[in-house]
Amino acid sequence: ALGKGRKIVNIVTCNAEVGSGTLDAAGGRFFSSVLPIPGNDLHAVKPGMPLEGLGEDVETVSVAARSQAAGDVLDAGHPVQESVDRCAREDRVPIVHCVVGSKTGIYQPFPAPNFGRLVATRDAFVVVDA
């Protein structure tokens, strides 16, 4: 599924419920200006800067866990599937970041008996953040 030259789309559910650097990290970008690499200038990078050789060909899609108006938990299944289907049309590689028990107890996408089958038919990879 991962072919040279194919762009990656990281679909991140519950972005506001997981770590603040998750979208940057999923997009192949630095999420901190502090580098754990000896000898590197601590001020050489800024959060959001792409990692050379990785960040240029990665797109991130954030799927909200809650409605902005009332804070109700949303079902991420449909927006995730739309993004996965778009990847199939555009010959991109989708990686779906599911959350099993966020800081506030959310599971996204909601457990559905057909979710795995739906994304698998589109050659999507699924990563679980527990």
Side-chain angles (χ1 to χ4, degrees):
L2 284 177
K4 186 172 176 125
R6 290 179 71 194
K7 296 197 181 252
I8 295 171
V9 178
N10 272 327
I11 304 160
V12 180
T13 63
C14 293
N15 181 51
E17 305 280 324
V18 292
S20 62
T22 299
L23 268 186
D24 280 336
R29 296 181 303 271
F30 288 97
F31 61 89
S32 173
S33 59
V34 178
L35 297 176
I37 304 168
N40 280 343
D41 180 4
L42 290 180
H43 303 290
V45 301
K46 302 274 186 257
M49 288 176 58
L51 286 154
E52 185 177 338
L54 177 62
E56 296 85 5
D57 291 328
V58 180
E59 172 191 348
T60 55
V61 174
S62 176
V63 178
R66 299 178 182 277
S67 69
Q68 288 188 342
D72 297 330
V73 176
L74 301 171
D75 181 354
H78 185 70
V80 166
Q81 191 64 50
E82 283 181 345
S83 294
V84 169
D85 291 345
R86 177 178 63 88
C87 289
R89 289 190 305 274
E90 298 174 359
D91 194 33
R92 295 178 177 213
V93 179
I95 301 173
V96 181
H97 293 251
C98 297
V99 175
V100 178
S102 73
K103 297 172 194 172
T104 60
I106 295 175
Y107 288 71
Q108 286 292 1
F110 283 143
N114 63 347
F115 176 73
R117 182 175 46 82
L118 289 171
V119 297
T121 61
R122 297 297 193 188
D123 292 327
F125 292 91
V126 177
V127 177
V128 178
D129 182 351

